[in-house]
Amino acid sequence: MSMRPVGLPEIPEQTVMVARAAFPKGSLAIRVRDRLAEVFVDEPFAEAFGVRGAPGLSPGVLSLVTVLQFAEDLTDRQAAAMAVRAIDWKYALGAELTDTGFDASVLSKFRARLADNGMERVVFDRLLEHCKDAGLVAAGGKQRTDSTHVISAVRDLNRLELAGESVRAALEALAVAAPLWLAGQIDVTEFAERYGPRVDGWRMPPSQTKRDRLAQVFGQDALALCRAAWADDAPVWIRQIEAVHLLRQVLVQTCIIRSDSRGRQVIKKRDADDGVPPGQLRLASPYDADARWAAKGDDLFWMGYKIHLTETCSTLPGVDADAVAGAEAAAGVMPNLITDVHTTDATVPDVKATAPIQRKLAAHGVKPAEHYLDSGYPSADLITKALGQGIRMVTPVLLDRSAQAKAAEGFDKNAFTINWKTRQVRCPAGKTSSHWNPVKQHGTDAIVITFSVLTCRECPFQKQCTTSQIGRRMLTLRPEELHENLARARAEQKTDTWKNKYALRAGVEGTINQALDVTGIRRARYRGLPKVRLQHAFSATALNVIRLDVHWTTGPLDRTRHSRLERLNYRLSA
């Protein structure tokens, strides 16, 4: 398939006439075409398409279809049908009224091509650039970020089902790719009876003994397939089949091979005592190698991914009201637009997403002056680094976790006076520390402060200060700049002024709900992290398009309920 960059085609005269008559007040699709046509062009997709072969559909047209599809939460078949029967969609796509559209499979192939070439965010970034040029988004304002869970597009499997279904997935793939080779390695009749239906559709044995025996059978079959695939005489491409490669990983993660008393090899299910891989490496399905199990609190447990949405949340400084159409611009009211969408697997903690999000915001020229986040995102290092880059993180930081601070009794870290120049710490009793040791803890710099046993043992405040069996107090501090930034943040977040200011962050939860209601963002449509990232990028683009449409078509008094007196006052002052 080749591409000849032409962009969105001209709208036929008859289509314009009928669309204007059918939608005298316009529609979302019509306004997107009229105002955002420059976003949906072909040139950015050139690297994903060849220069030879039969010309395919315009990537610009397909990207517009995909945005409208997500804006109305449609399936591929429904979106393809809308391109045929919806007049406003025909207007947006520049199609004749008699145009018969395209097959729904074209959208799936288009997404696969984008995901394979790392172009998941092309349309989102182009729309963000357009909004920057229009003065709707700029650096230096306020932005807020929040995350939510995303359930994968594959079934939940327990460890026993995972072991069996992984064997089944490999057998299904080999039955298509190498049927003759497979027939020479296994008893097809026996395996067809055992792995014909999906394993998660079985009624699992009620007793633990029988379940252990079934796990052993799954392990033996998996081991036999892997040994055959990695044998010296096996074709190399056999082991490169994804299902076969994943089977080997599942075998290692779920089973262990040992020798019994007679020296025979015995395969059994791997228990916690045998060692299990960490959550970020543990496979959860043979059909989605990127999905992971994760938990949040005591109530939320899911398999899949996590998405972080960042949006503007204030009137931009220095906005030129003449450059932006609409009464809202003149009134200083701007739409809250999504500036970044960041998707990871479910096991990545929020704190690991903070720096990548801020880097992307800076790279796109929309770095905020104030970044509002919840307590999962900050650390002393991140707060300090962000300040150095001109970003003030407005976020609650974790409080002192020492036993004294938790119990609110005795002397916590704030009760000690630190002299950074002399590298000594003075305790509430007036005694100074004996050792100052810079160390590395979990890959970060720290300082361990130790008081002498002789000093602490005779102190009248010892019981209020430490419960150590050795009888002396130890403190762990961060380097000076990090420590002071952390202490300042902890003190500031206790004030009413900070609490009132931080209330601005709560609005991003409304964006999460809108993304859920409009695009179903909490459920992955596709398999694999690249395609889920593509889904989220188009979901965020659709939300921005919807918000822009509201901005174009409504005034400031249309957003919330106002009394008739307020409306009269607005009209008189306009």
Side-chain angles (χ1 to χ4, degrees):
M1 182 183 295
S2 64
M3 184 198 75
R4 296 170 188 171
V6 292
L8 297 180
E10 290 291 328
I11 309 172
E13 241 177 78
Q14 188 179 18
T15 303
V16 173
M17 182 178 64
V18 174
R20 295 298 183 192
F23 299 91
K25 294 184 179 181
S27 71
L28 174 66
I30 290 174
R31 284 187 287 272
V32 168
R33 174 57 195 258
D34 290 342
R35 293 177 176 267
L36 299 176
E38 65 187 61
V39 173
F40 302 97
V41 295
D42 291 344
E43 284 80 1
F45 302 99
E47 293 182 4
F49 292 82
V51 295
R52 296 182 178 180
L57 287 175
S58 162
V61 169
L62 293 177
S63 62
L64 176 54
V65 170
T66 305
V67 169
L68 294 176
Q69 173 188 4
F70 277 87
E72 300 189 25
D73 196 17
L74 304 176
T75 65
D76 287 353
R77 291 184 183 276
Q78 290 170 331
M82 287 290 284
V84 176
R85 68 188 183 208
I87 295 174
D88 56 340
W89 277 48
K90 284 184 177 293
Y91 179 97
L93 303 179
E96 296 281 357
L97 294 177
T98 56
D99 191 289
T100 57
F102 51 84
D103 188 80
S105 63
V106 172
L107 292 174
S108 175
K109 294 175 182 177
F110 173 64
R111 291 192 302 268
R113 193 175 288 269
L114 295 188
D116 291 343
N117 288 272
M119 295 184 174
E120 301 93 342
R121 286 176 52 115
V122 167
V123 179
F124 176 83
D125 291 340
R126 283 191 61 80
L127 180 59
L128 184 62
E129 194 66 29
H130 173 85
C131 292
K132 280 177 54 186
D133 295 341
L136 295 169
V137 180
K142 298 178 181 179
Q143 296 185 36
R144 55 196 177 194
T145 299
D146 199 10
S147 66
T148 189
H149 63 282
V150 179
I151 300 172
S152 66
V154 295
R155 296 187 182 186
D156 296 347
L157 301 171
N158 59 40
R159 293 183 65 207
L160 178 58
E161 292 170 339
L162 173 62
E165 191 63 28
S166 297
V167 178
R168 180 181 178 275
L171 291 170
E172 289 289 304
L174 289 169
V176 174
L180 296 179
W181 178 87
L182 180 63
Q185 305 298 325
I186 65 170
D187 184 338
V188 175
T189 302
E190 178 185 349
F191 274 65
E193 181 179 354
R194 188 179 304 157
Y195 297 103
R198 291 182 63 97
V199 172
D200 60 352
W202 293 8
R203 184 184 295 275
M204 287 294 159
S207 70
Q208 184 62 47
T209 302
K210 290 183 178 180
R211 287 198 295 270
D212 290 342
R213 173 56 187 159
L214 184 58
Q216 186 178 20
V217 171
F218 289 156
Q220 290 172 343
D221 293 342
L223 181 60
L225 271 180
C226 288
R227 283 177 171 170
W230 270 266
D232 293 337
D233 58 346
V236 175
W237 59 268
I238 291 287
R239 66 199 69 159
Q240 294 174 346
I241 297 174
E242 184 181 18
V244 177
H245 178 70
L246 292 178
L247 175 63
R248 189 185 192 190
Q249 289 183 256
V250 172
L251 175 63
V252 173
Q253 293 181 2
T254 60
C255 298
I256 187 169
I257 302 174
R258 289 178 173 171
S259 297
D260 62 10
S261 57
R262 298 182 180 180
R264 297 176 301 181
Q265 281 190 341
V266 177
I267 189 166
K268 64 181 287 289
K269 185 173 70 173
R270 185 182 290 271
D271 296 323
D273 294 338
D274 301 317
V276 294
Q280 63 267 31
L281 299 178
R282 194 181 310 162
L283 293 176
S285 170
Y287 304 110
D288 189 343
D290 298 323
R292 294 290 184 271
W293 283 105
K296 187 174 183 180
D298 298 328
D299 302 325
L300 182 58
F301 188 57
W302 82 100
M303 181 179 76
Y305 305 91
K306 186 186 290 186
I307 179 174
H308 305 260
L309 291 177
T310 303
E311 68 172 358
T312 57
C313 56
S314 68
T315 301
L316 300 176
V319 170
D320 181 5
D322 296 330
V324 185
E328 292 189 12
V333 180
M334 305 298 293
N336 291 336
L337 298 176
I338 297 173
T339 54
D340 185 68
V341 52
H342 183 72
T343 307
T344 66
D345 72 66
T347 61
V348 178
D350 290 351
V351 69
K352 295 293 185 181
T354 307
I357 290 172
Q358 292 177 345
R359 281 197 300 269
K360 285 189 287 184
L361 293 174
H364 288 94
V366 291
K367 180 175 67 175
E370 292 184 351
H371 195 183
Y372 291 74
L373 310 109
D374 66 25
S375 60
Y377 288 92
S379 70
D381 301 83
L382 290 171
I383 291 173
T384 302
K385 186 176 180 180
L387 280 173
Q389 297 171 347
I391 302 175
R392 184 170 180 268
M393 292 172 60
V394 183
T395 172
V397 297
L398 296 177
L399 299 178
D400 187 356
R401 294 181 177 180
S402 65
Q404 294 84 355
K406 289 180 179 178
E409 297 178 357
F411 305 121
D412 60 12
K413 291 181 182 179
N414 291 331
F416 292 77
T417 304
I418 305 170
N419 190 323
W420 297 96
K421 291 184 179 179
T422 61
R423 305 181 107 190
Q424 285 186 322
V425 174
R426 184 178 296 276
C427 75
K431 305 297 182 181
T432 57
S433 59
S434 58
H435 295 91
W436 178 289
N437 300 316
V439 298
K440 283 277 188 181
Q441 290 185 344
H442 307 292
T444 60
D445 293 325
I447 301 167
V448 176
I449 311 298
T450 308
F451 285 82
S452 171
V453 175
L454 297 177
T455 300
C456 292
R457 186 176 296 168
E458 299 177 357
C459 179
F461 304 114
Q462 184 189 35
K463 292 184 178 179
Q464 296 174 261
C465 191
T466 181
T467 57
S468 168
Q469 293 182 353
I470 302 176
R472 65 179 180 181
R473 181 65 184 265
M474 297 179 66
L475 298 174
T476 301
L477 308 177
R478 301 305 308 277
E480 181 177 3
E481 184 180 9
L482 302 183
H483 176 83
E484 291 181 351
N485 286 338
L486 198 58
R488 189 183 307 113
R490 285 172 174 166
E492 186 182 23
Q493 72 189 40
K494 296 178 181 179
T495 64
D496 291 338
T497 302
W498 184 92
K499 292 176 182 177
N500 293 334
K501 183 176 185 178
Y502 182 67
L504 184 64
R505 190 213 68 87
V508 73
E509 295 177 6
T511 297
I512 297 291
N513 287 333
Q514 185 186 24
L516 173 61
D517 294 339
V518 175
T519 68
I521 206 166
R522 277 201 184 131
R523 185 168 291 277
R525 292 187 176 208
Y526 319 117
R527 299 175 183 177
L529 187 56
K531 287 189 178 180
V532 175
R533 282 177 174 157
L534 180 143
Q535 172 191 344
H536 292 163
F538 274 104
S539 295
T541 306
L543 290 180
N544 277 346
V545 165
I546 292 171
R547 292 182 174 192
L548 287 171
D549 187 54
V550 173
H551 177 69
W552 296 329
T553 57
T554 62
L557 289 179
D558 295 326
R559 298 298 180 83
T560 56
R561 288 183 176 272
H562 292 269
S563 69
R564 291 181 178 86
L565 185 60
E566 287 175 313
R567 290 179 179 276
L568 174 61
N569 180 58
Y570 174 73
R571 286 199 298 271
L572 293 175
S573 61

